[in-house]
Amino acid sequence: MKNLCFPMAAFMLLLSCNSGLNITVENPSEFDRLEMVEIPTDKLVNLPAEKGYIVADQKGEIIPSQITYDGKLIFQADIKAKETLSYTVKTGKQPTFQPRVYGRFIPERKDDFAWENDRVAFRIYGAALIPIDGPSNGLDIWYKKTNSLIIDKWYKDDIGGVQSYHDDHGEGLDDYKVGRTLGAGMMAPFENDTLTLNENFVSQEVLENGPLRTTFKLTYKDITVNGKTFGEKRTFSLDAGSQLTKVTQEYGIRDTLTVAAGLIKRTEDDEAYSAYTENGTAAVAYEEPENEKAGKVYVSMVFPTGLERVISNTYTITHSKETHSHVLGITSYYPNQPITYYTGYGWEKFGFPNFDSFQNYIGHFSRALEEPLIIKIT
């Protein structure tokens, strides 16, 4: 829903005086897509960036758009299979739209970082939590069943003793257990078939925050593997409407490193689903055991550049005697070549009644990565 900051008539007058550029977006796929259109701003010739941009759909209605931190104009297309839609980009001040994404550092809750869109929410742990709960380098997920942005509300109510976000009060809950694991899809070195988990992040930087995309970067303390010490950073990005958050993993290495991204398994014998497209995109999915509080939840990772193998791995933490299992997607990390992949979830109480429906979503998501929307500017 739009919240215009001044009358639409003023925008229509502005558009009539500003010829702009025509954008056509074609869906080459056999399935419908709700996807972000990305146009580098240097492709918008004769439209001065300092004046701002307005995007109108083929009905002439102004739609939400955003200039990203890395110099792209983005807007969302809800486009049917084989359909072509038309848009117009002009210069001018965009009206204010209700944000559909949000992320922030939460110093009041032991330095968490949490982020969300209108479908899903995530959390990752900061250094202030280590003295209380020990290190935790994995990704946490919050089960949402509302299109509203709820991070601030849930934290405020939980910290203030109003109600716990570990219980469902109508909007969802936090029921995912991470512990000393990779949680819902983080990456770690896997040299000699051994995971080396880092600790909680030590610094954070918000790069952008809506209305359609939120992006931030986390920096970790150096990690040592096989006697070699190197740095680690992760950049996260989440688009409106998506079930999956984008992860770009960086290691400051000089030699090739074997790495693994993993989904925690609740028992060693749990099965997981993995698949590869014809062009090599890999996906791994896992169905969380059903419980009375949360019901059924499905977690998945998608790797646009593929994987070398998918395995199950179990390890025991020496000092606590805890045993954890993962399904791991394994690949090689090369110097100066960050790995980008996606991870996220679906919930039976918010759009995914069964595992098959979520696998279908992941299949379409994977194929869409290989079949980009066809964008033409005239």
Side-chain angles (χ1 to χ4, degrees), residues 20-56:
L21 294 173
N22 295 320
I23 311 293
T24 60
V25 180
E26 178 185 346
N27 177 6
S29 304
E30 301 288 344
F31 51 90
D32 300 348
R33 292 163 67 166
L34 177 66
E35 196 165 320
M36 210 63 71
V37 176
E38 298 186 348
I39 303 173
T41 54
D42 60 10
K43 301 293 184 183
L44 301 175
V45 293
N46 300 323
L47 294 180
E50 63 272 13
K51 294 184 178 181
Y53 297 108
I54 299 168
V55 180

PDB file of all heavy atoms in Angstrom, residues 20-56:
ATOM      1  N   GLY A  20      11.334  10.694 -20.324  1.00  0.00           N
ATOM      2  CA  GLY A  20      11.888   9.524 -19.693  1.00  0.00           C
ATOM      3  C   GLY A  20      12.313   8.433 -20.655  1.00  0.00           C
ATOM      4  O   GLY A  20      12.477   8.627 -21.861  1.00  0.00           O
ATOM      5  N   LEU A  21      12.477   7.224 -20.086  1.00  0.00           N
ATOM      6  CA  LEU A  21      12.897   6.050 -20.843  1.00  0.00           C
ATOM      7  C   LEU A  21      11.851   4.961 -20.710  1.00  0.00           C
ATOM      8  O   LEU A  21      11.243   4.795 -19.646  1.00  0.00           O
ATOM      9  CB  LEU A  21      14.242   5.535 -20.319  1.00  0.00           C
ATOM     10  CG  LEU A  21      15.462   6.448 -20.505  1.00  0.00           C
ATOM     11  CD1 LEU A  21      16.662   5.857 -19.781  1.00  0.00           C
ATOM     12  CD2 LEU A  21      15.781   6.628 -21.973  1.00  0.00           C
ATOM     13  N   ASN A  22      11.685   4.207 -21.769  1.00  0.00           N
ATOM     14  CA  ASN A  22      10.767   3.070 -21.744  1.00  0.00           C
ATOM     15  C   ASN A  22      11.539   1.799 -21.415  1.00  0.00           C
ATOM     16  O   ASN A  22      12.592   1.524 -22.008  1.00  0.00           O
ATOM     17  CB  ASN A  22      10.066   2.914 -23.097  1.00  0.00           C
ATOM     18  CG  ASN A  22       9.159   4.085 -23.422  1.00  0.00           C
ATOM     19  OD1 ASN A  22       8.471   4.587 -22.542  1.00  0.00           O
ATOM     20  ND2 ASN A  22       9.180   4.524 -24.669  1.00  0.00           N
ATOM     21  N   ILE A  23      11.006   1.024 -20.488  1.00  0.00           N
ATOM     22  CA  ILE A  23      11.621  -0.227 -20.064  1.00  0.00           C
ATOM     23  C   ILE A  23      10.650  -1.365 -20.353  1.00  0.00           C
ATOM     24  O   ILE A  23       9.488  -1.308 -19.939  1.00  0.00           O
ATOM     25  CB  ILE A  23      11.949  -0.227 -18.554  1.00  0.00           C
ATOM     26  CG1 ILE A  23      12.692   1.058 -18.147  1.00  0.00           C
ATOM     27  CG2 ILE A  23      12.713  -1.475 -18.166  1.00  0.00           C
ATOM     28  CD1 ILE A  23      14.072   1.188 -18.715  1.00  0.00           C
ATOM     29  N   THR A  24      11.092  -2.391 -21.070  1.00  0.00           N
ATOM     30  CA  THR A  24      10.276  -3.591 -21.225  1.00  0.00           C
ATOM     31  C   THR A  24      10.934  -4.729 -20.465  1.00  0.00           C
ATOM     32  O   THR A  24      12.162  -4.888 -20.491  1.00  0.00           O
ATOM     33  CB  THR A  24      10.089  -3.986 -22.702  1.00  0.00           C
ATOM     34  OG1 THR A  24      11.366  -4.248 -23.297  1.00  0.00           O
ATOM     35  CG2 THR A  24       9.378  -2.898 -23.471  1.00  0.00           C
ATOM     36  N   VAL A  25      10.114  -5.502 -19.764  1.00  0.00           N
ATOM     37  CA  VAL A  25      10.586  -6.628 -18.965  1.00  0.00           C
ATOM     38  C   VAL A  25       9.855  -7.873 -19.450  1.00  0.00           C
ATOM     39  O   VAL A  25       8.627  -7.939 -19.392  1.00  0.00           O
ATOM     40  CB  VAL A  25      10.322  -6.400 -17.462  1.00  0.00           C
ATOM     41  CG1 VAL A  25      10.816  -7.595 -16.653  1.00  0.00           C
ATOM     42  CG2 VAL A  25      11.006  -5.116 -16.993  1.00  0.00           C
ATOM     43  N   GLU A  26      10.629  -8.843 -19.913  1.00  0.00           N
ATOM     44  CA  GLU A  26      10.052 -10.087 -20.439  1.00  0.00           C
ATOM     45  C   GLU A  26      10.413 -11.256 -19.532  1.00  0.00           C
ATOM     46  O   GLU A  26      11.570 -11.408 -19.122  1.00  0.00           O
ATOM     47  CB  GLU A  26      10.559 -10.353 -21.854  1.00  0.00           C
ATOM     48  CG  GLU A  26      10.039 -11.650 -22.462  1.00  0.00           C
ATOM     49  CD  GLU A  26      10.654 -11.946 -23.816  1.00  0.00           C
ATOM     50  OE1 GLU A  26      11.278 -11.036 -24.403  1.00  0.00           O
ATOM     51  OE2 GLU A  26      10.523 -13.102 -24.290  1.00  0.00           O
ATOM     52  N   ASN A  27       9.432 -12.086 -19.224  1.00  0.00           N
ATOM     53  CA  ASN A  27       9.652 -13.309 -18.448  1.00  0.00           C
ATOM     54  C   ASN A  27       9.843 -14.469 -19.423  1.00  0.00           C
ATOM     55  O   ASN A  27       8.891 -14.905 -20.057  1.00  0.00           O
ATOM     56  CB  ASN A  27       8.457 -13.569 -17.530  1.00  0.00           C
ATOM     57  CG  ASN A  27       8.592 -14.861 -16.743  1.00  0.00           C
ATOM     58  OD1 ASN A  27       9.627 -15.520 -16.788  1.00  0.00           O
ATOM     59  ND2 ASN A  27       7.545 -15.224 -16.021  1.00  0.00           N
ATOM     60  N   PRO A  28      11.049 -15.020 -19.538  1.00  0.00           N
ATOM     61  CA  PRO A  28      11.287 -16.113 -20.474  1.00  0.00           C
ATOM     62  C   PRO A  28      10.863 -17.481 -19.944  1.00  0.00           C
ATOM     63  O   PRO A  28      10.918 -18.471 -20.675  1.00  0.00           O
ATOM     64  CB  PRO A  28      12.801 -16.064 -20.678  1.00  0.00           C
ATOM     65  CG  PRO A  28      13.325 -15.592 -19.356  1.00  0.00           C
ATOM     66  CD  PRO A  28      12.290 -14.616 -18.841  1.00  0.00           C
ATOM     67  N   SER A  29      10.439 -17.531 -18.675  1.00  0.00           N
ATOM     68  CA  SER A  29      10.172 -18.804 -18.011  1.00  0.00           C
ATOM     69  C   SER A  29       8.755 -19.304 -18.252  1.00  0.00           C
ATOM     70  O   SER A  29       7.869 -18.560 -18.664  1.00  0.00           O
ATOM     71  CB  SER A  29      10.410 -18.667 -16.504  1.00  0.00           C
ATOM     72  OG  SER A  29      11.718 -18.208 -16.238  1.00  0.00           O
ATOM     73  N   GLU A  30       8.556 -20.582 -17.949  1.00  0.00           N
ATOM     74  CA  GLU A  30       7.243 -21.217 -18.080  1.00  0.00           C
ATOM     75  C   GLU A  30       6.415 -21.080 -16.804  1.00  0.00           C
ATOM     76  O   GLU A  30       5.392 -21.742 -16.655  1.00  0.00           O
ATOM     77  CB  GLU A  30       7.420 -22.712 -18.411  1.00  0.00           C
ATOM     78  CG  GLU A  30       8.181 -23.000 -19.696  1.00  0.00           C
ATOM     79  CD  GLU A  30       7.381 -22.661 -20.936  1.00  0.00           C
ATOM     80  OE1 GLU A  30       6.148 -22.486 -20.821  1.00  0.00           O
ATOM     81  OE2 GLU A  30       7.979 -22.580 -22.025  1.00  0.00           O
ATOM     82  N   PHE A  31       6.859 -20.244 -15.896  1.00  0.00           N
ATOM     83  CA  PHE A  31       6.150 -20.047 -14.633  1.00  0.00           C
ATOM     84  C   PHE A  31       6.117 -18.564 -14.291  1.00  0.00           C
ATOM     85  O   PHE A  31       6.940 -17.780 -14.758  1.00  0.00           O
ATOM     86  CB  PHE A  31       6.808 -20.845 -13.498  1.00  0.00           C
ATOM     87  CG  PHE A  31       8.299 -20.626 -13.370  1.00  0.00           C
ATOM     88  CD1 PHE A  31       8.814 -19.624 -12.562  1.00  0.00           C
ATOM     89  CD2 PHE A  31       9.187 -21.432 -14.077  1.00  0.00           C
ATOM     90  CE1 PHE A  31      10.178 -19.421 -12.450  1.00  0.00           C
ATOM     91  CE2 PHE A  31      10.564 -21.231 -13.975  1.00  0.00           C
ATOM     92  CZ  PHE A  31      11.056 -20.235 -13.163  1.00  0.00           C
ATOM     93  N   ASP A  32       5.139 -18.179 -13.478  1.00  0.00           N
ATOM     94  CA  ASP A  32       5.007 -16.788 -13.054  1.00  0.00           C
ATOM     95  C   ASP A  32       6.147 -16.424 -12.104  1.00  0.00           C
ATOM     96  O   ASP A  32       6.651 -17.278 -11.362  1.00  0.00           O
ATOM     97  CB  ASP A  32       3.665 -16.567 -12.351  1.00  0.00           C
ATOM     98  CG  ASP A  32       2.466 -16.876 -13.235  1.00  0.00           C
ATOM     99  OD1 ASP A  32       2.661 -17.034 -14.468  1.00  0.00           O
ATOM    100  OD2 ASP A  32       1.342 -16.960 -12.700  1.00  0.00           O
ATOM    101  N   ARG A  33       6.514 -15.148 -12.113  1.00  0.00           N
ATOM    102  CA  ARG A  33       7.620 -14.702 -11.268  1.00  0.00           C
ATOM    103  C   ARG A  33       7.290 -13.379 -10.588  1.00  0.00           C
ATOM    104  O   ARG A  33       6.710 -12.479 -11.197  1.00  0.00           O
ATOM    105  CB  ARG A  33       8.899 -14.553 -12.104  1.00  0.00           C
ATOM    106  CG  ARG A  33       9.408 -15.883 -12.589  1.00  0.00           C
ATOM    107  CD  ARG A  33      10.400 -15.792 -13.731  1.00  0.00           C
ATOM    108  NE  ARG A  33      11.674 -15.183 -13.341  1.00  0.00           N
ATOM    109  CZ  ARG A  33      12.768 -15.252 -14.104  1.00  0.00           C
ATOM    110  NH1 ARG A  33      12.752 -15.902 -15.260  1.00  0.00           N
ATOM    111  NH2 ARG A  33      13.892 -14.681 -13.703  1.00  0.00           N
ATOM    112  N   LEU A  34       7.648 -13.284  -9.315  1.00  0.00           N
ATOM    113  CA  LEU A  34       7.614 -12.030  -8.568  1.00  0.00           C
ATOM    114  C   LEU A  34       9.066 -11.712  -8.259  1.00  0.00           C
ATOM    115  O   LEU A  34       9.679 -12.364  -7.409  1.00  0.00           O
ATOM    116  CB  LEU A  34       6.799 -12.178  -7.284  1.00  0.00           C
ATOM    117  CG  LEU A  34       6.742 -10.940  -6.384  1.00  0.00           C
ATOM    118  CD1 LEU A  34       5.995  -9.809  -7.073  1.00  0.00           C
ATOM    119  CD2 LEU A  34       6.087 -11.284  -5.048  1.00  0.00           C
ATOM    120  N   GLU A  35       9.628 -10.738  -8.958  1.00  0.00           N
ATOM    121  CA  GLU A  35      11.074 -10.596  -8.950  1.00  0.00           C
ATOM    122  C   GLU A  35      11.489  -9.140  -9.061  1.00  0.00           C
ATOM    123  O   GLU A  35      10.775  -8.312  -9.622  1.00  0.00           O
ATOM    124  CB  GLU A  35      11.639 -11.397 -10.134  1.00  0.00           C
ATOM    125  CG  GLU A  35      13.119 -11.675 -10.066  1.00  0.00           C
ATOM    126  CD  GLU A  35      13.518 -12.755 -11.057  1.00  0.00           C
ATOM    127  OE1 GLU A  35      12.771 -13.736 -11.221  1.00  0.00           O
ATOM    128  OE2 GLU A  35      14.576 -12.586 -11.682  1.00  0.00           O
ATOM    129  N   MET A  36      12.677  -8.861  -8.537  1.00  0.00           N
ATOM    130  CA  MET A  36      13.199  -7.511  -8.599  1.00  0.00           C
ATOM    131  C   MET A  36      13.878  -7.276  -9.938  1.00  0.00           C
ATOM    132  O   MET A  36      14.732  -8.058 -10.372  1.00  0.00           O
ATOM    133  CB  MET A  36      14.195  -7.277  -7.464  1.00  0.00           C
ATOM    134  CG  MET A  36      14.260  -5.851  -6.986  1.00  0.00           C
ATOM    135  SD  MET A  36      12.713  -5.259  -6.266  1.00  0.00           S
ATOM    136  CE  MET A  36      12.672  -6.181  -4.726  1.00  0.00           C
ATOM    137  N   VAL A  37      13.496  -6.203 -10.607  1.00  0.00           N
ATOM    138  CA  VAL A  37      14.155  -5.753 -11.833  1.00  0.00           C
ATOM    139  C   VAL A  37      15.315  -4.859 -11.423  1.00  0.00           C
ATOM    140  O   VAL A  37      15.160  -3.966 -10.587  1.00  0.00           O
ATOM    141  CB  VAL A  37      13.170  -4.984 -12.737  1.00  0.00           C
ATOM    142  CG1 VAL A  37      13.883  -4.431 -13.971  1.00  0.00           C
ATOM    143  CG2 VAL A  37      12.008  -5.884 -13.136  1.00  0.00           C
ATOM    144  N   GLU A  38      16.483  -5.091 -11.998  1.00  0.00           N
ATOM    145  CA  GLU A  38      17.670  -4.307 -11.678  1.00  0.00           C
ATOM    146  C   GLU A  38      18.204  -3.641 -12.939  1.00  0.00           C
ATOM    147  O   GLU A  38      18.452  -4.304 -13.949  1.00  0.00           O
ATOM    148  CB  GLU A  38      18.763  -5.190 -11.074  1.00  0.00           C
ATOM    149  CG  GLU A  38      18.393  -5.850  -9.759  1.00  0.00           C
ATOM    150  CD  GLU A  38      19.580  -6.597  -9.151  1.00  0.00           C
ATOM    151  OE1 GLU A  38      20.591  -6.783  -9.866  1.00  0.00           O
ATOM    152  OE2 GLU A  38      19.501  -6.977  -7.977  1.00  0.00           O
ATOM    153  N   ILE A  39      18.407  -2.333 -12.871  1.00  0.00           N
ATOM    154  CA  ILE A  39      18.951  -1.577 -13.998  1.00  0.00           C
ATOM    155  C   ILE A  39      20.099  -0.719 -13.484  1.00  0.00           C
ATOM    156  O   ILE A  39      19.880   0.154 -12.629  1.00  0.00           O
ATOM    157  CB  ILE A  39      17.890  -0.680 -14.648  1.00  0.00           C
ATOM    158  CG1 ILE A  39      16.689  -1.515 -15.113  1.00  0.00           C
ATOM    159  CG2 ILE A  39      18.484   0.099 -15.818  1.00  0.00           C
ATOM    160  CD1 ILE A  39      15.526  -0.687 -15.617  1.00  0.00           C
ATOM    161  N   PRO A  40      21.322  -0.939 -13.951  1.00  0.00           N
ATOM    162  CA  PRO A  40      22.426  -0.062 -13.540  1.00  0.00           C
ATOM    163  C   PRO A  40      22.099   1.387 -13.900  1.00  0.00           C
ATOM    164  O   PRO A  40      21.632   1.674 -15.009  1.00  0.00           O
ATOM    165  CB  PRO A  40      23.613  -0.584 -14.356  1.00  0.00           C
ATOM    166  CG  PRO A  40      23.267  -2.011 -14.670  1.00  0.00           C
ATOM    167  CD  PRO A  40      21.772  -2.024 -14.851  1.00  0.00           C
ATOM    168  N   THR A  41      22.327   2.279 -12.981  1.00  0.00           N
ATOM    169  CA  THR A  41      21.955   3.673 -13.233  1.00  0.00           C
ATOM    170  C   THR A  41      22.753   4.289 -14.380  1.00  0.00           C
ATOM    171  O   THR A  41      22.292   5.249 -15.004  1.00  0.00           O
ATOM    172  CB  THR A  41      22.125   4.520 -11.959  1.00  0.00           C
ATOM    173  OG1 THR A  41      23.468   4.366 -11.459  1.00  0.00           O
ATOM    174  CG2 THR A  41      21.140   4.096 -10.898  1.00  0.00           C
ATOM    175  N   ASP A  42      23.934   3.730 -14.696  1.00  0.00           N
ATOM    176  CA  ASP A  42      24.686   4.282 -15.827  1.00  0.00           C
ATOM    177  C   ASP A  42      24.057   3.925 -17.167  1.00  0.00           C
ATOM    178  O   ASP A  42      24.482   4.430 -18.212  1.00  0.00           O
ATOM    179  CB  ASP A  42      26.157   3.860 -15.775  1.00  0.00           C
ATOM    180  CG  ASP A  42      26.353   2.351 -15.825  1.00  0.00           C
ATOM    181  OD1 ASP A  42      25.382   1.614 -16.097  1.00  0.00           O
ATOM    182  OD2 ASP A  42      27.493   1.896 -15.589  1.00  0.00           O
ATOM    183  N   LYS A  43      23.033   3.061 -17.143  1.00  0.00           N
ATOM    184  CA  LYS A  43      22.290   2.742 -18.355  1.00  0.00           C
ATOM    185  C   LYS A  43      21.130   3.721 -18.581  1.00  0.00           C
ATOM    186  O   LYS A  43      20.496   3.709 -19.638  1.00  0.00           O
ATOM    187  CB  LYS A  43      21.737   1.322 -18.288  1.00  0.00           C
ATOM    188  CG  LYS A  43      22.793   0.231 -18.122  1.00  0.00           C
ATOM    189  CD  LYS A  43      23.677   0.110 -19.345  1.00  0.00           C
ATOM    190  CE  LYS A  43      24.647  -1.056 -19.191  1.00  0.00           C
ATOM    191  NZ  LYS A  43      25.570  -1.160 -20.350  1.00  0.00           N
ATOM    192  N   LEU A  44      20.850   4.546 -17.598  1.00  0.00           N
ATOM    193  CA  LEU A  44      19.731   5.480 -17.696  1.00  0.00           C
ATOM    194  C   LEU A  44      20.227   6.804 -18.280  1.00  0.00           C
ATOM    195  O   LEU A  44      20.283   7.837 -17.601  1.00  0.00           O
ATOM    196  CB  LEU A  44      19.089   5.677 -16.329  1.00  0.00           C
ATOM    197  CG  LEU A  44      18.555   4.392 -15.669  1.00  0.00           C
ATOM    198  CD1 LEU A  44      18.043   4.682 -14.268  1.00  0.00           C
ATOM    199  CD2 LEU A  44      17.458   3.761 -16.517  1.00  0.00           C
ATOM    200  N   VAL A  45      20.596   6.763 -19.537  1.00  0.00           N
ATOM    201  CA  VAL A  45      21.186   7.931 -20.188  1.00  0.00           C
ATOM    202  C   VAL A  45      20.162   9.066 -20.241  1.00  0.00           C
ATOM    203  O   VAL A  45      18.958   8.850 -20.359  1.00  0.00           O
ATOM    204  CB  VAL A  45      21.657   7.568 -21.615  1.00  0.00           C
ATOM    205  CG1 VAL A  45      22.799   6.595 -21.555  1.00  0.00           C
ATOM    206  CG2 VAL A  45      20.515   7.002 -22.455  1.00  0.00           C
ATOM    207  N   ASN A  46      20.670  10.283 -20.129  1.00  0.00           N
ATOM    208  CA  ASN A  46      19.853  11.508 -20.198  1.00  0.00           C
ATOM    209  C   ASN A  46      18.888  11.670 -19.023  1.00  0.00           C
ATOM    210  O   ASN A  46      18.002  12.527 -19.056  1.00  0.00           O
ATOM    211  CB  ASN A  46      19.060  11.574 -21.514  1.00  0.00           C
ATOM    212  CG  ASN A  46      19.968  11.559 -22.725  1.00  0.00           C
ATOM    213  OD1 ASN A  46      21.048  12.150 -22.704  1.00  0.00           O
ATOM    214  ND2 ASN A  46      19.546  10.881 -23.779  1.00  0.00           N
ATOM    215  N   LEU A  47      19.061  10.844 -17.991  1.00  0.00           N
ATOM    216  CA  LEU A  47      18.251  11.011 -16.778  1.00  0.00           C
ATOM    217  C   LEU A  47      19.206  11.272 -15.618  1.00  0.00           C
ATOM    218  O   LEU A  47      19.752  10.339 -15.031  1.00  0.00           O
ATOM    219  CB  LEU A  47      17.407   9.756 -16.506  1.00  0.00           C
ATOM    220  CG  LEU A  47      16.315   9.415 -17.511  1.00  0.00           C
ATOM    221  CD1 LEU A  47      15.580   8.146 -17.073  1.00  0.00           C
ATOM    222  CD2 LEU A  47      15.328  10.559 -17.684  1.00  0.00           C
ATOM    223  N   PRO A  48      19.451  12.520 -15.273  1.00  0.00           N
ATOM    224  CA  PRO A  48      20.432  12.845 -14.229  1.00  0.00           C
ATOM    225  C   PRO A  48      20.082  12.201 -12.894  1.00  0.00           C
ATOM    226  O   PRO A  48      18.990  12.405 -12.360  1.00  0.00           O
ATOM    227  CB  PRO A  48      20.364  14.376 -14.148  1.00  0.00           C
ATOM    228  CG  PRO A  48      19.766  14.811 -15.455  1.00  0.00           C
ATOM    229  CD  PRO A  48      18.824  13.726 -15.847  1.00  0.00           C
ATOM    230  N   ALA A  49      21.018  11.440 -12.365  1.00  0.00           N
ATOM    231  CA  ALA A  49      20.766  10.708 -11.123  1.00  0.00           C
ATOM    232  C   ALA A  49      20.472  11.644  -9.962  1.00  0.00           C
ATOM    233  O   ALA A  49      19.696  11.305  -9.061  1.00  0.00           O
ATOM    234  CB  ALA A  49      21.962   9.823 -10.801  1.00  0.00           C
ATOM    235  N   GLU A  50      21.065  12.842  -9.974  1.00  0.00           N
ATOM    236  CA  GLU A  50      20.880  13.738  -8.834  1.00  0.00           C
ATOM    237  C   GLU A  50      19.450  14.238  -8.713  1.00  0.00           C
ATOM    238  O   GLU A  50      19.052  14.729  -7.656  1.00  0.00           O
ATOM    239  CB  GLU A  50      21.838  14.928  -8.935  1.00  0.00           C
ATOM    240  CG  GLU A  50      21.632  15.824 -10.143  1.00  0.00           C
ATOM    241  CD  GLU A  50      22.421  15.364 -11.361  1.00  0.00           C
ATOM    242  OE1 GLU A  50      22.922  14.220 -11.342  1.00  0.00           O
ATOM    243  OE2 GLU A  50      22.532  16.153 -12.315  1.00  0.00           O
ATOM    244  N   LYS A  51      18.665  14.107  -9.762  1.00  0.00           N
ATOM    245  CA  LYS A  51      17.261  14.523  -9.714  1.00  0.00           C
ATOM    246  C   LYS A  51      16.344  13.421  -9.204  1.00  0.00           C
ATOM    247  O   LYS A  51      15.158  13.656  -8.974  1.00  0.00           O
ATOM    248  CB  LYS A  51      16.798  14.983 -11.103  1.00  0.00           C
ATOM    249  CG  LYS A  51      17.481  16.245 -11.594  1.00  0.00           C
ATOM    250  CD  LYS A  51      16.899  16.693 -12.923  1.00  0.00           C
ATOM    251  CE  LYS A  51      17.551  17.989 -13.399  1.00  0.00           C
ATOM    252  NZ  LYS A  51      16.975  18.441 -14.691  1.00  0.00           N
ATOM    253  N   GLY A  52      16.884  12.223  -9.034  1.00  0.00           N
ATOM    254  CA  GLY A  52      16.073  11.107  -8.570  1.00  0.00           C
ATOM    255  C   GLY A  52      15.323  10.439  -9.711  1.00  0.00           C
ATOM    256  O   GLY A  52      15.268  10.957 -10.833  1.00  0.00           O
ATOM    257  N   TYR A  53      14.727   9.282  -9.406  1.00  0.00           N
ATOM    258  CA  TYR A  53      14.013   8.519 -10.420  1.00  0.00           C
ATOM    259  C   TYR A  53      12.605   8.172  -9.952  1.00  0.00           C
ATOM    260  O   TYR A  53      12.375   7.911  -8.760  1.00  0.00           O
ATOM    261  CB  TYR A  53      14.757   7.211 -10.733  1.00  0.00           C
ATOM    262  CG  TYR A  53      16.128   7.407 -11.323  1.00  0.00           C
ATOM    263  CD1 TYR A  53      17.260   7.145 -10.564  1.00  0.00           C
ATOM    264  CD2 TYR A  53      16.290   7.866 -12.629  1.00  0.00           C
ATOM    265  CE1 TYR A  53      18.531   7.314 -11.097  1.00  0.00           C
ATOM    266  CE2 TYR A  53      17.560   8.041 -13.174  1.00  0.00           C
ATOM    267  CZ  TYR A  53      18.679   7.767 -12.404  1.00  0.00           C
ATOM    268  OH  TYR A  53      19.922   7.949 -12.928  1.00  0.00           O
ATOM    269  N   ILE A  54      11.692   8.158 -10.912  1.00  0.00           N
ATOM    270  CA  ILE A  54      10.325   7.706 -10.689  1.00  0.00           C
ATOM    271  C   ILE A  54      10.047   6.593 -11.686  1.00  0.00           C
ATOM    272  O   ILE A  54      10.374   6.711 -12.866  1.00  0.00           O
ATOM    273  CB  ILE A  54       9.310   8.839 -10.926  1.00  0.00           C
ATOM    274  CG1 ILE A  54       9.561   9.996  -9.965  1.00  0.00           C
ATOM    275  CG2 ILE A  54       7.874   8.334 -10.773  1.00  0.00           C
ATOM    276  CD1 ILE A  54       8.791  11.246 -10.324  1.00  0.00           C
ATOM    277  N   VAL A  55       9.444   5.512 -11.216  1.00  0.00           N
ATOM    278  CA  VAL A  55       9.087   4.395 -12.091  1.00  0.00           C
ATOM    279  C   VAL A  55       7.571   4.284 -12.132  1.00  0.00           C
ATOM    280  O   VAL A  55       6.907   4.268 -11.084  1.00  0.00           O
ATOM    281  CB  VAL A  55       9.700   3.075 -11.593  1.00  0.00           C
ATOM    282  CG1 VAL A  55       9.306   1.924 -12.524  1.00  0.00           C
ATOM    283  CG2 VAL A  55      11.217   3.186 -11.500  1.00  0.00           C
ATOM    284  N   ALA A  56       7.030   4.213 -13.353  1.00  0.00           N
ATOM    285  CA  ALA A  56       5.593   4.029 -13.540  1.00  0.00           C
ATOM    286  C   ALA A  56       5.348   2.742 -14.316  1.00  0.00           C
ATOM    287  O   ALA A  56       6.112   2.398 -15.231  1.00  0.00           O
ATOM    288  CB  ALA A  56       4.994   5.212 -14.296  1.00  0.00           C
TER     289      ALA A  56
END
